[in-house]
Amino acid sequence: MLNAEQRSLLKLFDLSSREKAIADMLAKLPFIKYPEMSSQVQIIMRKLMRMSDFEFGLLKKRL
């Protein structure tokens, strides 16, 4: 699933739902100036797109 660094980064976005988290990441991605951080956000987005809403709910509880 997500490593500790990715979970920390995920907290910066709207986590009210999986769809809103992905949309928030897409909206903010052009403004991330560090390539490594941008890459990590893209990896997180791909992982969120593959997981179910139930899995996302479990992930939110662990944050």
Side-chain angles (χ1 to χ4, degrees), residues 41-59:
V41 170
Q42 291 175 29
I43 290 169
I44 295 167
M45 279 193 318
R46 285 194 295 271
K47 288 181 178 184
L48 290 179
M49 287 180 200
R50 288 192 304 257
M51 73 174 54
S52 68
D53 289 334
F54 178 76
E55 291 170 320
F56 181 74
L58 293 176
L59 174 66

Side-chain angles (χ1 to χ4, degrees), residues 2-63:
L2 299 177
N3 63 35
E5 181 182 86
Q6 292 169 340
R7 286 192 306 269
S8 293
L9 187 57
L10 185 58
K11 292 177 186 179
L12 299 173
F13 300 97
D14 180 359
L15 300 178
S16 55
S17 73
R18 187 175 59 90
E19 293 80 13
K20 286 186 181 183
I22 293 168
D24 194 27
M25 288 179 194
L26 282 171
K28 292 178 180 168
L29 194 57
F31 303 103
I32 299 173
K33 67 179 187 176
Y34 299 107
E36 179 59 33
M37 188 175 286
S38 176
S39 173
Q40 286 298 314
V41 170
Q42 291 175 29
I43 290 169
I44 295 167
M45 279 193 318
R46 285 194 295 271
K47 288 181 178 184
L48 290 179
M49 287 180 200
R50 288 192 304 257
M51 73 174 54
S52 68
D53 289 334
F54 178 76
E55 291 170 320
F56 181 74
L58 293 176
L59 174 66
K60 276 179 42 175
K61 288 181 182 180
R62 292 194 306 240
L63 293 179

